[in-house]
Amino acid sequence: MKVCVYTLGCRLNQCESEAIADSFSRNGHEVVDARRGADLYIVNTCTVTAKAEQKARRMIRLFSTEGQAVVVTGCYAQMAQAELEELGENIVVVPLVKKAGLLGLCAHIDETTNAGMDLLDAVRSFAEPETSVFDYAASSFSYHSRAYLKVQDGCDNECGYCRVHIARGPSTSLGRDEVVARALQLEEEGFNEIVLTGVNLTMYDHEGEGLGGMMLALIPRLKDTTRLRLSSMEPDHIDERLIEACSSHKVHPHFHIPLQSASDKVLERSSRKYSASHLEWVIEQLRKVKDDPFIACDVIAGLPAEGEEEFRQTYDFLKDTGFAALHVFPFSPRPDTALYKARDKVSERVRDERAASLRQLSESLHSAYVARQIGRRQEVLLETRRGGLWHGTSGNYLKLAVSGAPAFSSRGQIVSGIITAKDMLSVC
Ligand code: SF4
């Protein structure tokens, strides 16, 4: 059977999708991408923006005409089950609480179709057991050379623009010993890079020790050559222990901070629990423990309460701090959120102009960052081989071609070398 797992949204969704795809490929099914046509489609949706929802509906409709069955899960599916089921007759929505049960879908399909049931009936008859959000095996993934380890789910914050905490529920964390055991298992399976993921990763907690405490326990247990990457760091829980953990050579110099705005007024209006001065502290500390790390951020243009002055504060902060990349999102009012009916909304024209100028800023910040990496040593995880060269991602998140990689190099291996051009690393 051909299976396509189509993913929208955050790294956590990617991580979950990979585990699901893996369960099919391990059982002899062919995991294909969306262009190649599949019998079974699994769509992992996102509710962060109206655009992500629109795209999900479009793809689900398309898959519904191409495949025999479409399974839809993820945050958007959680919020709009009936609406999505109406998009086609062969669509089956699996709510979030039962999403981990999808790891058993493959076995269920094999058993029931071998007994003569057709694929759609097999999917429909799949009675997902109640599962924990951490029921994902720490095993090899079918898409990537790195492993994603989900250690946290849900969020206790109620940011004014966000529906994710509504869909995912309160914060919950995988126990520290279990994190260590899963990470060691991934090492055993040959992964050299592990990405720690969560809905709000810095809200991770085990007995009051936080993400920093867990990482400080994990890092000494890992091989000297294993590397950790953090998927995303909400600023409010970044503390000294986490910074200390990040100082380890086993943590890649790549950080992603969803800061959204650098204006105290806008942050407060959006119920974000930190200030611009905390952001300054975070960036300063990360730069103290890592040599010119790649620090990217999410920023929302046109949040309520963002007047010209507030926008200028954010713009100047991003420019002066020298981020390596900005992920810019125009504010999109989401139903069920506190800011949905805000009266101090910014007009769409102004919001889009601001988004455009932030995107321009991002381009120049990124070019400046890449230019100053030339001549520096970096590690690169080998991902694909094209045109006689390996290509991969560096510790500081640059996509590079690799020249001089040792013979018999393999996918997932880490090599070290000097960056000789904006897109090239020479192994030495
Ligand atoms: S921190 Fe805020 S934006 Fe992030 S998931 Fe939680 S509520 Fe949503």
Side-chain angles (χ1 to χ4, degrees), residues 58-290:
R58 185 158 44 83
M59 298 313 288
I60 292 166
R61 246 187 242 112
L62 177 74
F63 295 154
S64 162
T65 60
E66 290 187 350
Q68 295 172 46
V70 183
V71 173
V72 183
T73 191
C75 291
Y76 179 33
Q78 179 75 11
M79 309 289 287
Q81 176 158 358
E83 186 189 332
L84 294 177
E85 276 172 346
E86 275 171 19
L87 296 177
E89 289 189 344
N90 53 354
I91 293 167
V92 180
V93 170
V94 174
L96 275 179
V97 66
K98 295 183 172 172
K99 189 179 187 185
L102 286 170
L103 290 176
L105 176 63
C106 179
H108 176 80
I109 288 175
D110 287 348
E111 197 183 311
T112 48
T113 52
N114 283 342
M117 201 180 261
D118 77 24
L119 179 59
L120 180 57
D121 285 341
V123 169
R124 284 200 178 122
S125 71
F126 176 62
E128 314 88 20
E130 287 296 333
T131 47
S132 141
V133 288
F134 297 115
D135 278 354
Y136 292 95
S139 57
S140 58
F141 296 139
S142 30
Y143 296 162
H144 291 285
S145 331
R146 57 182 57 78
Y148 291 82
L149 178 53
K150 178 176 160 187
V151 300
Q152 188 274 345
D153 202 317
C155 180
D156 296 336
N157 288 346
E158 290 184 11
C159 301
Y161 51 82
C162 175
R163 299 218 295 177
V164 172
H165 64 284
I166 307 170
R168 294 271 181 173
S171 178
T172 162
S173 303
L174 186 65
R176 188 186 50 214
D177 294 347
E178 185 58 25
V179 173
V180 172
R182 290 187 185 198
L184 296 182
Q185 189 190 330
L186 289 166
E187 272 190 335
E188 193 124 306
E189 290 178 16
F191 286 101
N192 294 309
E193 183 177 313
I194 300 170
V195 185
L196 299 180
T197 72
V199 166
N200 183 338
L201 183 61
T202 47
M203 209 171 253
Y204 176 92
D205 193 34
H206 177 89
E207 295 176 352
E209 297 274 301
L211 180 64
M214 179 270 275
M215 288 176 67
L216 288 170
L218 170 63
I219 288 168
R221 305 285 306 277
L222 297 172
K223 287 185 207 158
D224 199 49
T225 49
T226 298
R227 295 291 174 263
L228 291 176
R229 205 183 278 278
L230 301 178
S231 63
S232 185
M233 299 160 88
E234 282 286 346
D236 47 347
H237 286 81
I238 301 180
D239 57 12
E240 275 157 10
R241 297 201 86 192
L242 181 53
I243 300 287
E244 186 191 340
C246 290
S247 71
S248 164
H249 70 282
K250 295 180 193 170
V251 178
H252 275 319
H254 167 213
F255 306 102
H256 179 262
I257 300 174
L259 65 79
Q260 317 304 15
S261 169
S263 146
D264 286 346
K265 185 172 155 196
V266 175
L267 290 170
E268 199 184 327
R269 179 78 179 94
S270 305
S271 307
R272 301 284 284 171
K273 296 178 178 162
Y274 53 88
S275 61
S277 62
H278 179 65
L279 291 173
E280 262 170 42
W281 179 84
V282 167
I283 309 298
E284 199 184 301
Q285 297 306 307
L286 291 174
R287 292 229 165 97
K288 262 191 200 156
V289 298
K290 292 283 178 207

Side-chain angles (χ1 to χ4, degrees), residues 32 40 186 308 335 386 402:
V32 296
L40 172 67
L186 289 166
E308 275 309 318
R386 298 191 302 273
V402 176

